[in-house]
Amino acid sequence: MVVVLEPAAATPPVAAKPTTVTWDLRGDSFARPLVVARLGDAIEIRNLGRSAPVLVARGQPQLLPKKPLNPTDRVACTPTAAGLLDVIDESTPHVRGRALVLERGLFAYPDAGGKFELADVPAGEWTVRVYYAPRNLARGAAAPTAAGWIVRTDDKITVGGKRTEVTVKLPPTLPVKP
């Protein structure tokens, strides 16, 4: 799960330097079924397993080379469009992960207790949204739980010059929309 702060149109853009998001492939699953990156960030996939999958980025097939990712190797790509990026091994479809690429905004991964913190949020109007990707997305369950934006009333918050606390309420069944 990831909590995303999307700025309102009038809120100044977040000036973030491109970074590298490291995504570990451990055997037949990604360590995190969901990673988040901003447009312009590189996503580096490190193979910490023993197999050599041929990974494909659905929707942006040019991002990853069509060759095996050998154990201890790594491959990096920079997504060219915001949105969802599904990364799979076509010969072993249960090896899959999802990258959520944001055009604007900030994000945080909640801890096991659901707490998260975003530091240095610029003043302005923001919308709080929650994206959910279940663990079984990466493990290839026979009937995986749907992944997507949780259907709920998005919180609108105003951030000023001091700490702002928000409690994000989630529906009990986590209905999602892709």
Side-chain angles (χ1 to χ4, degrees), residues 1-3 128-132 145-146 148-155 167-177:
M1 185 176 312
V2 65
V3 177
V128 181
R129 297 183 70 202
V130 180
Y131 190 88
Y132 177 73
T145 306
W149 293 104
I150 295 178
V151 177
R152 55 185 281 283
T153 303
D154 294 326
D155 298 304
T167 300
V168 178
K169 295 182 177 132
L170 301 177
T173 58
L174 292 179
V176 297
K177 59 184 172 186

Side-chain angles (χ1 to χ4, degrees), residues 19-41:
T19 62
T20 299
V21 176
T22 303
W23 200 9
D24 291 339
L25 179 59
R26 298 178 181 207
D28 65 350
S29 66
F30 284 92
R32 281 185 176 267
L34 173 69
V35 294
V36 182
R38 289 184 194 89
L39 206 51
D41 288 351

Side-chain angles (χ1 to χ4, degrees), residues 49-62:
R50 295 182 182 179
S51 64
V54 178
L55 298 175
V56 176
R58 284 196 178 155
Q60 296 185 43
Q62 75 286 1

Side-chain angles (χ1 to χ4, degrees), residues 51-56 58 66 68 88-95:
S51 64
V54 178
L55 298 175
V56 176
R58 284 196 178 155
K66 293 252 185 194
I88 65 163
D89 176 0
E90 289 181 328
S91 65
T92 315
H94 68 274
V95 175

Side-chain angles (χ1 to χ4, degrees), residues 2-155:
V2 65
V3 177
V4 176
L5 282 184
E6 294 178 343
T11 299
V14 177
K17 293 180 183 176
T19 62
T20 299
V21 176
T22 303
W23 200 9
D24 291 339
L25 179 59
R26 298 178 181 207
D28 65 350
S29 66
F30 284 92
R32 281 185 176 267
L34 173 69
V35 294
V36 182
R38 289 184 194 89
L39 206 51
D41 288 351
I43 299 174
E44 179 183 73
I45 301 170
R46 299 186 310 181
N47 187 355
L48 304 179
R50 295 182 182 179
S51 64
V54 178
L55 298 175
V56 176
R58 284 196 178 155
Q60 296 185 43
Q62 75 286 1
L63 289 180
L64 295 170
K66 293 252 185 194
K67 64 179 193 173
L69 180 60
N70 293 318
T72 71
D73 279 353
R74 53 186 72 207
V75 64
C77 65
T78 303
T80 56
L84 293 173
L85 185 64
D86 286 320
V87 176
I88 65 163
D89 176 0
E90 289 181 328
S91 65
T92 315
H94 68 274
V95 175
R96 61 183 305 138
R98 178 167 280 174
L100 177 60
V101 181
L102 302 175
E103 187 170 347
R104 305 174 43 179
L106 303 168
F107 62 91
Y109 298 101
D111 64 17
K115 295 183 186 269
F116 63 93
E117 185 172 324
L118 290 163
D120 302 323
V121 176
E125 299 290 322
W126 297 83
T127 300
V128 181
R129 297 183 70 202
V130 180
Y131 190 88
Y132 177 73
R135 271 256 163 244
N136 63 6
L137 172 72
R139 295 212 170 98
T145 306
W149 293 104
I150 295 178
V151 177
R152 55 185 281 283
T153 303
D154 294 326
D155 298 304

